[in-house]
């Protein structure tokens, strides 16, 4: 009876396909298809670098599993050897996407470093050349045809193989370390990652069985482990890793909830703030005050901590994967300084209002008495000194009125409405002692403002222009050329550059009969609206006041 030749043995699977052979081919193909199909889900990952790394890992892992199926199917020893070498190269290429993914996922920039990229390409080309040239040196592997459990090419790995494999596992471990470090930093449970790493070790079992028993072919089963690993990374990224990635590197407390408002992930800052998060479950049960404050208009939560109360602004952002909403991310921003400033400002406003009312009541009463007595005296005596006293009384009355206005104009604006500047300006112009002064409105402007306070603002600016620019001053009003807002300009003497920062201070005036409160009131009204104001020189050499609606412009 003739002995079967190697070529005959290689072609035997097509003539006598065994269930084991068909099962192995099917498993490798299934792993490959699963990886390729999963690419679609991975492409919906929002972070581009993380997405690229995971997609590349799925493609290379699926490619290696497919090549391993082809390795089993091709008939000749030469084709099997060539396919095996290609599989070795593709298998080694999975390390690159894995490290790229880990670097991007953990917020590092290693994957973008040009030097590291060049070294990685050079290393890959070197290893690929070592594998391709194995027929020349034979140090990477040797192959023999084995008949059981079905005809296949059994590979005996050489020294270079184990050197490359060891190096590959060291590189893979670097990626694991980056992930573990991130999980440790955010205080997240690393158990899913440890389980995931264990998947890569599963192929050791069939590898050992194939080595010592003829029941399994002595081939590499590593592509299955790598494919399972890649699929596991995708699944855990969507279920767990994405939440960790969103909380990484954040100093502010961050809490991730699933779509049913169950606690899914949180960083160390959130755990320190709300220890009850460790119990898990529904957020409204673990930390009910968060749910209550999220529904409130201001979204501010008070937390009693060592050193006193702290205030946090809550914000909620939905996060998705594969176009499906997975939950929401709650971020708490410490606004204690802002809240304390606001509370102090309210207290100051209350004190200022109280002071103004006291001034109004306690000064006006004796002033009215003095005014009445003065008029009685003036009816009996005609004396210039009495006229001076009357002027002083009028001056005191004006100061009282200005103080009251200053105290009240700085109060925050409630609701605003669209106001046409031209209409308000004309009303103000009728109230100003204009003499021979003129007002020209170049273009109308509509602003969102409190009409009464806007009128007070314009009236003070117009009166300031008349008082400091002379009886025949020409005043212009119009929109700003470079942003939302308006200006009031005149052709008077202008304001010296050294005085422009002082003119808005209470009590500062360059006019002998000025109170020094007019422009201070203007500044208070501007601040109350959230606007900004600055003084510059007009085109005609006078003063130009520019009021901008957007304080960031």
């Amino acid at each position: 009876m003739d002995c079967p030749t190697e070529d005959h043995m290689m072609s035997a699977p097509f003539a006598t396909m065994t269930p084991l052979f068909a099962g192995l081919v099917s498993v490798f193909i299934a792993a490959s298809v699963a990886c390729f199909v999963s690419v679609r889900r991975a492409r919906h990952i929002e972070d581009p670098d993380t997405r690229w790394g995971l997609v590349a890992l799925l493609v290379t892992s699926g490619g290696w599993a497919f090549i391993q199926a082809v390795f089993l199917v091709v008939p000749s020893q030469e084709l099997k050897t060539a396919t095996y070498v290609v599989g070795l190269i593709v298998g080694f290429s999975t390390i690159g996407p894995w490290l790229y993914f880990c670097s991007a996922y953990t917020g590092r920039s290693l994957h973008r470093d040009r030097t590291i990229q060049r070294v990685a390409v050079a290393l890959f080309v070197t290893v690929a050349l070592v594998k391709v040239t194995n027929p020349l040196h034979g140090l990477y592997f040797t192959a023999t045809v084995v008949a059981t459990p079905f005809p296949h090419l059994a590979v005996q790995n050489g020294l270079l193989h184990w050197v490359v494999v060891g190096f590959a596992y060291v590189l893979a471990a670097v990626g694991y370390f980056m992930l573990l470090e991130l999980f440790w930093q955010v205080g997240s449970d690393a158990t899913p990652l440890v389980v995931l790493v264990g998947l890569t070790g599963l192929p050791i079992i069939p590898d050992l069985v194939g080595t010592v028993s003829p029941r399994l072919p002595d081939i590499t089963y590593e592509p299955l482990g790598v494919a399972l690993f890649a699929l596991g990374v995708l699944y855990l990224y969507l279920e767990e890793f994405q939440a960790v990635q969103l909380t990484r590197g954040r100093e502010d407390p961050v809490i991730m909830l699933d779509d049913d408002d169950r606690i899914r992930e949180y960083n160390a800052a959130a755990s320190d703030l709300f220890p009850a998060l460790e119990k898990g479950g529904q957020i409204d049960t673990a930390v009910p005050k968060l749910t209550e404050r999220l529904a409130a208009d201001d979204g501010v939560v008070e937390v009693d901590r060592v050193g006193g109360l702290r205030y946090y602004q809550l914000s909620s952002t939905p996060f998705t994967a594969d176009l499906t909403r997975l939950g929401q991310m709650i971020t708490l921003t410490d606004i204690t300084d802002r809240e304390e400033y606001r509370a102090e400002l309210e207290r100051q406003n209350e004190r200022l209002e109280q002071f103004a009312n006291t001034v109004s009541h306690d000064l006006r009463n004796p002033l009215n008495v003095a005014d009445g007595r003065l008029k009685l005296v003036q009816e009996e005596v005609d004396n210039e000194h009495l006229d001076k006293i009357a002027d002083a009384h009028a001056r005191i009355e004006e100061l009282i009125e200005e103080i009251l206005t200053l105290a009240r104009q700085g109060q925050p604006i409630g609701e605003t409405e669209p106001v046409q500047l031209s209409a308000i300006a004309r009303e103000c112009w009728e109230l100003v002692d204009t003499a021979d002064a003129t007002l020209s409105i170049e273009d109308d402007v509509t602003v969102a403002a409190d009409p009464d306070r806007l009128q007070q603002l314009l009236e003070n600016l117009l009166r300031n222009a008349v008082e400091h620019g002379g009886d025949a001053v020409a005043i212009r009003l119009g929109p700003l050329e470079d942003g939302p807002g308006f200006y009031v300009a005149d052709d008077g003497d202008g304001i010296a550059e050294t005085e422009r920062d002082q003119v808005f201070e209470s009590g500062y005036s360059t006019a002998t009969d000025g109170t020094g409160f007019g422009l201070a009131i203007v500044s208070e009204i501007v601040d109350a609206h959230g606007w900004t104001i600055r003084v510059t020189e007009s085109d005609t050499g006078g003063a130009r006041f520019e009021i901008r609606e957007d304080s960031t412009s």
Side-chain angles (χ1 to χ4, degrees):
M1 187 173 181
D2 295 334
C3 293
T5 64
E6 290 183 358
D7 287 341
H8 174 73
M9 292 175 64
M10 288 294 99
S11 61
F14 294 99
T16 57
M17 182 175 293
T18 66
L20 178 60
F21 174 82
L24 285 176
V25 172
S26 298
V27 168
F28 281 111
I29 290 178
S32 173
V33 170
C35 287
F36 291 146
V37 170
S38 297
V39 167
R40 179 180 174 275
R41 293 199 70 192
R43 290 177 62 185
H44 290 292
I45 293 173
E46 292 185 7
D47 181 66
D49 287 351
T50 304
R51 178 176 65 244
W52 191 95
L54 192 48
V55 166
L57 178 62
L58 288 166
V59 170
T60 52
S61 300
W64 193 13
F66 178 77
I67 292 170
Q68 188 67 4
V70 174
F71 166 76
L72 290 173
V73 171
V74 293
S76 69
Q77 181 175 356
E78 291 77 10
L79 285 176
K80 285 185 178 292
T81 302
T83 305
Y84 181 73
V85 171
V86 172
L88 289 177
I89 295 172
V90 174
F92 187 73
S93 72
T94 60
I95 297 297
W98 164 242
L99 292 176
Y100 192 99
F101 166 81
C102 292
S103 174
Y105 172 76
T106 56
R108 291 175 169 84
S109 59
L110 299 175
H111 57 292
R112 291 185 173 273
D113 190 296
R114 293 295 183 185
T115 301
I116 293 178
Q117 289 176 349
R118 285 192 286 269
V119 170
V121 170
L123 178 63
F124 175 77
V125 171
T126 300
V127 172
L129 287 174
V130 169
K131 295 179 179 182
V132 170
T133 57
N134 183 71
L136 299 178
H137 53 73
L139 296 176
Y140 205 91
F141 69 89
T142 57
T144 56
V145 177
V146 178
T148 56
F150 54 78
H152 65 279
L153 192 67
V155 178
Q156 293 78 44
N157 296 313
L159 176 62
L160 287 181
H161 167 83
W162 296 113
V163 171
V164 172
V165 167
F167 185 64
Y169 274 99
V170 169
L171 291 177
V174 171
Y176 300 143
F177 173 78
M178 286 191 282
L179 296 184
L180 286 170
E181 184 182 42
L182 173 61
F183 275 58
W184 177 78
Q185 287 175 348
V186 301
S188 181
D189 183 13
T191 302
L193 178 61
V194 175
V195 173
L196 188 62
V197 172
L199 290 176
T200 58
L202 289 179
I204 294 177
I205 299 174
D207 277 344
L208 292 175
V209 173
T211 302
V212 300
S213 171
R215 295 184 178 182
L216 274 180
D218 188 11
I219 60 174
T220 179
Y221 296 89
E222 193 173 3
L224 293 178
V226 173
L228 285 174
F229 176 78
L231 292 169
V233 170
L234 173 62
Y235 173 78
L236 283 179
Y237 178 84
L238 298 177
E239 294 298 321
E240 301 288 343
F241 289 4
Q242 183 176 210
V244 176
Q245 186 181 36
L246 290 172
T247 60
R248 74 156 184 256
R250 291 176 176 265
E251 295 182 0
D252 291 335
V254 177
I255 304 169
M256 307 294 296
L257 306 179
D258 64 17
D259 207 26
D260 294 323
D261 288 340
R262 288 190 298 268
I263 299 169
R264 178 172 178 177
E265 189 60 66
Y266 50 86
N267 62 3
S271 177
D272 181 53
L273 200 61
F274 303 112
L277 290 172
E278 298 178 6
K279 300 177 182 178
Q282 296 290 134
I283 187 66
D284 56 358
T285 301
V287 192
K289 67 167 64 176
L290 282 183
T291 307
E292 296 170 3
R293 300 314 303 167
L294 272 173
D297 292 336
D298 59 359
V300 176
V301 62
E302 297 180 5
V303 182
D304 193 2
R305 307 200 69 187
V306 176
L309 280 176
R310 305 295 295 180
Y311 298 87
Y312 294 88
Q313 180 72 58
L314 302 180
S315 61
S316 175
T317 307
F319 68 96
T320 61
D322 198 15
L323 303 181
T324 302
R325 187 181 187 276
L326 297 180
Q328 61 177 320
M329 177 174 68
I330 299 175
T331 304
L332 295 92
T333 304
D334 193 329
I335 58 168
T336 302
D337 291 342
R338 190 187 80 183
E339 285 296 300
E340 290 178 346
Y341 174 77
R342 183 187 60 78
E344 178 60 27
L345 191 60
E346 288 181 355
R347 288 191 293 269
Q348 288 179 358
N349 285 335
E350 289 175 2
R351 289 195 295 267
L352 187 58
E353 178 74 20
Q354 184 178 8
F355 167 73
N357 290 333
T358 300
V359 168
S360 174
H361 182 270
D362 292 355
L363 282 184
R364 273 189 170 139
N365 281 346
L367 182 62
N368 290 336
V369 172
D371 240 2
R373 297 287 184 178
L374 178 61
K375 288 176 181 177
L376 291 175
V377 174
Q378 283 178 319
E379 290 176 1
E380 299 176 0
V381 180
D382 184 11
N383 189 297
E384 62 175 330
H385 296 297
L386 296 179
D387 294 336
K388 294 293 184 182
I389 294 173
D391 291 341
H393 286 176
R395 172 77 167 167
I396 294 172
E397 179 67 33
E398 184 180 1
L399 283 170
I400 292 173
E401 191 61 39
E402 295 282 17
I403 290 173
L404 285 172
T405 302
L406 181 64
R408 289 162 182 159
Q409 295 305 330
Q411 299 293 326
I413 298 293
E415 295 184 1
T416 61
E417 60 183 77
V419 181
Q420 282 190 313
L421 209 62
S422 61
I424 294 287
R426 291 189 183 97
E427 291 180 16
C428 295
W429 192 242
E430 293 177 0
L431 301 175
V432 177
D433 185 8
T434 59
D436 295 326
T438 59
L439 171 67
S440 60
I441 301 174
E442 297 187 349
D443 279 311
D444 202 359
V445 184
T446 300
V447 296
D450 180 307
D452 293 334
R453 297 209 206 179
L454 180 59
Q455 180 171 342
Q456 183 74 51
L457 180 151
L458 284 176
E459 185 180 331
N460 281 22
L461 285 179
L462 295 176
R463 182 177 287 112
N464 180 79
V466 171
E467 290 175 353
H468 294 272
D471 293 341
V473 67
I475 306 172
R476 290 178 294 116
L477 184 149
L480 294 177
E481 300 83 0
D482 58 349
F486 59 93
Y487 70 87
V488 176
D490 62 60
D491 62 354
D493 295 333
I495 299 174
E497 190 170 352
T498 56
E499 297 180 349
R500 290 174 186 171
D501 292 335
Q502 300 172 274
V503 294
F504 297 111
E505 296 177 4
S506 298
Y508 183 85
S509 177
T510 58
T512 55
D513 58 347
T515 65
F517 290 113
L519 292 181
I521 292 172
V522 169
S523 178
E524 291 287 345
I525 298 173
V526 165
D527 290 343
H529 279 87
W531 302 340
T532 58
I533 185 171
R534 77 178 185 120
V535 187
T536 184
E537 185 177 333
S538 70
D539 296 339
T540 54
R544 174 181 165 109
F545 293 86
E546 296 181 348
I547 293 94
R548 296 183 184 275
E549 291 185 66
D550 184 0
S551 61
T552 62
S553 60

